[in-house]
Amino acid sequence: MDAAESFRLSWRAIRSHKLRSALTVLGVVIGVGAVITFVTLGASLQADILGQVGGERTPNVYVWAGPEGQNGGPGAGAQPVFTERDLDELRALSGVSAVVPRGIVPTAAVSSGGDTVAQRQVIATSPASFDSASFAAGRPFRQGEREVVLNERAARLFETQAVVGDEVTLRLASGESVGAEVVGLLNASAGGGPFAGLDSQPLVFVPTDPFYGTTIESPETGETQRVYPTVTVIAEDFGAVAGAKTDVRAYLDDRSDAAALVPDDYAFSVRTDQDLVDQIEELLSTLTDFVTGIAVISLIVGSIGIANMMLVSVTERTREIGIMKAVGAQKRDVLQLFLLEAVMLGVFGAVAGVPVGILGAYAAAEYVGLSLVFPLEWFAIAVGVGLLVGVVAGLYPAWNAARTDPIDALRYE
Amino acid sequence: MAASHSDSAPDVGPDREDAVSLRDVRKTYYLGEPVHALDGVTLSIPRGSYTAVMGPSGSGKSTLLNLIGCLDTASEGEVFVNGTEVSELSDRDRTRVRGDEIGFVFQTFNLMPKLTAAENVALPLVFQGVSRSDRRDRAEAVLAEVGLGDRTDHRPNELSGGQRQRVAIARALVTDPAIILADEPTGNLDQETGEQIMGLFQRLHDEGHTVLMVTHERPIAEHAERVIHVLDGTIERVEEIESPRRVETDV
Ligand SMILES: Nc1ncnc2c1ncn2[C@@H]1O[C@H](COP(=O)(O)OP(=O)(O)O)[C@@H](O)[C@H]1O
Ligand SMILES: [Mg+2]
């Protein structure tokens, strides 16, 4: 039997019970649509987050001490253990161009131009943490000066947006108030670095001297020194990152003050941008796999729908199968006819499922404010899956039809 | 799908003139104890003959027809269709012989409900790989032959019983088979329509077709040249009809 006639006969069979066929196809549409939606969303989320994190890859090594076995983001649960001496020692390592400490100064509020807003903390760091390209106006603060740098969100906290040259007052948690001058404003795209997290919050940056007051006695020298929870070691170039990372870890484990200060069940984390990207990627793909797995289950349910409908269809058409066999249809012809019917249902479902899935992804992306990235190969895969679903679901019913005994079939009522 | 013509007929071959011949054929069903539906049947159907098979219900008439029609296989013995021994054939080859050499007409018509008359008639050609336009042409020609030239696009449920049976007969004719097998073709028709169908068979015979027809009505059987009486799976006797009944209607 030629393919064109097979198509014609199978198509006629599908059309002869439109509603049943449509509902069966709907099952596949939902399955394929769900898979496409979740895969697209997963890919878009991944691209979005990696774009934020990995967009400007830096030759940085992030160092902190956190609870052992904790898998949080950079700086999670960090304890202040890195002393000034540790920073000097790290600076002396080969391949290191700068070491930027970062500490938290607890505050109650910040005022500017008579307007006071609550602010839980400001970030104490060194001028080296700023990249000149990230300034919308002004410059980095200088060590030892009462100067602050605000990010865009922080500048907009106040009724009249803060500008360079404004005076701000920091109300420290201790109750003390300290005045400072705004010397720089960061632009919108400048984040707070990995330690600040991914969402943009109002950030106020101050120099460690004179604002940062957390100190400890260095176990090595006995001097009282500032101590920081997180440190960024900036390598000279990307080639030096791996070496710097190894040396930093070796120093920390071996002769650092931090090693002596760190609580027993805490461990050092030494991560590069690449490590962070890898970690986020892994987390996201696990999430995407999980959700896609659920979608695949709905696809399986869809194919069970096809198998079920085909079994009913074969039983209903037993007599027709008998007639076809009596006039010379081979087993192969009957198999082909029913398999084709199942495959057509599967492919229709898949083809209709793709736009439904895209629409679903589009709606969801619109809702969460994500820009869509279409994993194009998945659309080809979806159609392939439709074919596969049709074959798998149709094989047993079609085989049943093919081996029907014509005498029994003709007697069938 | 070319027909496998038996140019190299088997050595023990039957008379080459026979459309069908059976040698000591048995068909046994095992339902607890064996049931001999056919119990040693030997017969031959000459080419161009018109034969009726009569017998009480359960005597094995349909079984006989199904064996000849390659729908079923004999438990023992040999069945030759157009010179080919069919009981040893593979399922595939037997199906091919069925499609090429046999034309079936059933009591219940057995038309495909969703296909038009022309499509029903063309169905056997579909499985022979005949092209669409040829199928259409041949189906229309045969439908015209059975007097349904103006009903080609009607579906079975838009046709009367007699018309449906004519579509079935056209379908049986379309492959130009060696033999036309009819199992109680008038069983579901009123007497007058039955007569018209008998008129059609009579014409086919006159045109040289081989017809083997099962019936349990004596008047119907008398249209044939000879009647094979079957009883309990054996041939009781073969009766030659001196002057077969003629149908006077014109179709
Ligand atoms: N598939 C079958 N299984 C068991 N017995 C069968 C089967 N087909 C036919 N028979 C038996 O074979 C005998 C002949 O049946 P059949 O050829 O249909 O008779 P007829 O057509 O003359 O009425 C009957 O006794 C019937 O019960
Ligand atoms: Mg019978």
Side-chain angles (χ1 to χ4, degrees):
Chain A
M1 175 167 45
D2 59 296
E5 192 58 28
S6 284
F7 269 109
R8 206 170 292 122
L9 288 174
S10 299
W11 176 234
R12 205 185 296 240
I14 289 172
R15 276 205 352 211
S16 69
H17 26 74
K18 290 195 190 69
L19 182 63
R20 195 203 298 169
S21 303
L23 289 175
T24 307
V25 167
L26 188 63
V28 182
V29 169
I30 291 172
V32 170
V35 172
I36 295 269
T37 298
F38 290 125
V39 168
T40 303
L41 277 182
S44 304
L45 194 66
Q46 198 145 336
D48 190 63
I49 291 177
L50 294 182
Q52 283 181 29
V53 178
E56 316 140 31
R57 205 69 56 89
T58 56
N60 291 358
V61 180
Y62 306 101
V63 184
W64 73 97
E68 206 151 8
Q70 175 170 317
N71 239 344
Q79 286 293 320
V81 294
F82 304 102
T83 62
E84 296 279 359
R85 187 185 77 86
D86 284 336
L87 302 186
D88 290 338
E89 293 276 357
L90 289 172
R91 260 177 214 119
L93 294 175
S94 69
V96 172
S97 84
V99 173
V100 178
R102 181 187 168 105
I104 300 299
V105 179
T107 54
V110 183
S111 330
S112 167
D115 185 24
T116 301
V117 294
Q119 176 76 6
R120 205 161 50 83
Q121 59 181 43
V122 301
I123 296 161
T125 183
S126 68
S129 70
F130 300 108
D131 168 358
S132 59
S134 56
F135 280 91
R139 56 168 175 81
F141 50 65
R142 284 176 307 221
Q143 269 311 357
E145 301 291 334
R146 291 182 182 273
E147 295 177 342
V148 301
V149 169
L150 305 177
N151 77 348
E152 209 199 18
R153 291 284 299 270
R156 281 197 274 125
L157 284 177
F158 306 103
E159 245 162 45
T160 48
Q161 187 168 338
V163 294
V164 173
D166 280 1
E167 274 298 315
V168 295
T169 308
L170 304 181
R171 178 95 40 79
L172 301 183
S174 58
E176 214 181 318
S177 285
V178 189
E181 183 192 351
V182 176
V183 295
L185 294 176
L186 298 179
N187 58 29
S189 64
F195 288 130
L198 293 168
D199 45 333
S200 49
Q201 338 162 325
L203 298 174
V204 178
F205 300 92
V206 297
T208 52
D209 179 26
F211 290 94
Y212 190 65
T214 309
T215 56
I216 203 161
E217 222 170 74
S218 163
E220 199 74 14
T221 63
E223 280 177 75
T224 298
Q225 296 191 329
R226 286 197 172 87
V227 67
Y228 301 97
T230 59
V231 174
T232 303
V233 175
I234 304 172
E236 281 165 354
D237 52 45
F238 283 99
V241 171
K245 181 183 171 184
T246 321
D247 291 350
V248 166
R249 180 164 279 288
Y251 166 75
L252 289 176
D253 288 342
D254 193 18
R255 22 189 198 99
S256 65
D257 286 344
L261 294 172
V262 77
D264 278 347
D265 51 351
Y266 274 51
F268 293 119
S269 289
V270 181
R271 301 268 178 82
T272 63
D273 269 355
Q274 190 56 51
D275 293 338
L276 294 175
V277 168
D278 289 350
Q279 196 191 355
I280 291 171
E281 209 159 33
E282 198 186 304
L283 189 78
L284 284 178
S285 69
T286 308
L287 191 76
T288 307
D289 286 355
F290 175 71
V291 179
T292 306
I294 294 174
V296 166
I297 291 174
S298 70
L299 188 58
I300 291 172
V301 173
S303 67
I304 292 173
I306 294 190
N308 187 34
M309 149 157 185
M310 290 307 298
L311 282 172
V312 172
S313 182
V314 167
T315 311
E316 271 182 2
R317 279 145 67 195
T318 300
R319 207 181 170 89
E320 289 181 40
I321 296 166
I323 296 170
M324 290 196 285
K325 287 200 153 189
V327 302
Q330 294 285 358
K331 267 189 178 143
R332 202 189 47 192
D333 296 322
V334 177
L335 188 82
Q336 183 178 327
L337 224 49
F338 282 90
L339 204 54
L340 196 63
E341 189 177 331
V343 166
M344 277 162 91
L345 292 173
V347 170
F348 288 158
V351 167
V354 168
V356 167
I358 293 175
L359 225 65
Y362 184 80
E366 195 79 341
Y367 182 68
V368 299
L370 207 62
S371 63
L372 276 189
V373 175
F374 291 111
L376 285 174
E377 70 274 12
W378 267 89
F379 302 146
I381 291 173
V383 176
V385 163
L387 251 151
L388 190 76
V389 159
V391 171
V392 169
L395 209 53
Y396 176 72
W399 173 241
N400 256 356
R403 58 169 198 186
T404 302
D405 178 54
I407 300 177
D408 290 344
L410 287 172
R411 224 184 268 142
Y412 186 87
E413 287 306 328
Chain B
M1 276 184 232
S4 54
H5 290 295
S6 53
D7 292 331
S8 54
D11 3 308
V12 275
D15 191 332
R16 297 286 299 268
E17 292 304 306
D18 290 343
V20 169
S21 71
L22 279 69
R23 290 190 186 195
D24 202 22
V25 168
R26 277 162 224 276
K27 179 70 188 180
T28 313
Y29 292 107
Y30 295 93
L31 303 165
E33 57 186 87
V35 176
H36 301 287
L38 288 181
D39 199 4
V41 170
T42 300
L43 65 81
S44 52
I45 312 287
R47 221 173 274 285
S49 65
Y50 189 178
T51 312
V53 179
M54 277 195 75
S57 183
S59 56
K61 307 183 294 293
S62 293
T63 305
L64 178 67
L65 224 61
N66 290 342
L67 287 182
I68 295 171
C70 298
L71 281 173
D72 207 351
T73 46
S75 308
E76 273 176 63
E78 294 170 313
V79 178
F80 294 89
V81 175
N82 207 14
T84 310
E85 211 288 305
V86 295
S87 35
E88 298 288 299
L89 292 181
S90 67
D91 178 74
R92 200 185 153 77
D93 288 338
R94 197 151 13 89
T95 303
R96 189 173 297 162
V97 172
R98 189 195 308 151
D100 294 352
E101 311 287 2
I102 309 292
F104 258 112
V105 179
F106 302 93
Q107 178 176 355
T108 52
F109 321 135
N110 280 335
L111 298 176
M112 300 285 271
K114 283 158 221 147
L115 302 188
T116 64
E119 285 167 336
N120 262 294
V121 173
L123 193 62
L125 302 177
V126 167
F127 302 115
Q128 289 185 352
V130 175
S131 81
R132 188 167 159 77
S133 58
D134 285 0
R135 289 201 302 263
R136 177 88 203 172
D137 291 349
R138 282 167 68 179
E140 279 175 359
V142 183
L143 275 173
E145 232 175 275
V146 300
L148 288 177
D150 55 345
R151 294 282 190 278
T152 54
D153 293 327
H154 287 59
R155 279 170 216 283
N157 61 2
E158 300 161 352
L159 298 171
S160 71
Q163 287 171 329
R164 287 183 210 186
Q165 195 59 300
R166 280 194 232 179
V167 173
I169 292 169
R171 180 180 64 189
L173 285 172
V174 79
T175 56
D176 194 17
I179 185 165
I180 293 167
L181 304 177
D183 197 346
E184 311 214 19
T186 59
N188 274 23
L189 301 174
D190 60 64
Q191 198 176 347
E192 194 181 332
T193 318
E195 274 295 293
Q196 284 171 14
I197 293 299
M198 293 322 293
L200 190 51
F201 278 115
Q202 170 183 305
R203 211 183 75 210
L204 295 180
H205 172 232
D206 292 345
E207 287 166 6
H209 290 280
T210 312
V211 179
L212 178 62
M213 176 179 62
V214 166
T215 181
H216 60 260
E217 293 173 74
R218 176 81 201 174
I220 294 290
E222 280 173 358
H223 287 87
E225 299 167 304
R226 46 175 205 156
V227 179
I228 299 175
H229 292 271
V230 182
L231 188 63
D232 290 341
T234 55
I235 294 180
E236 192 189 23
R237 65 193 168 94
V238 177
E239 174 190 1
E240 300 290 336
I241 305 288
E242 293 300 324
S243 52
R245 239 179 220 263
R246 299 288 297 177
V247 180
E248 296 311 330
T249 51
D250 191 49
V251 271

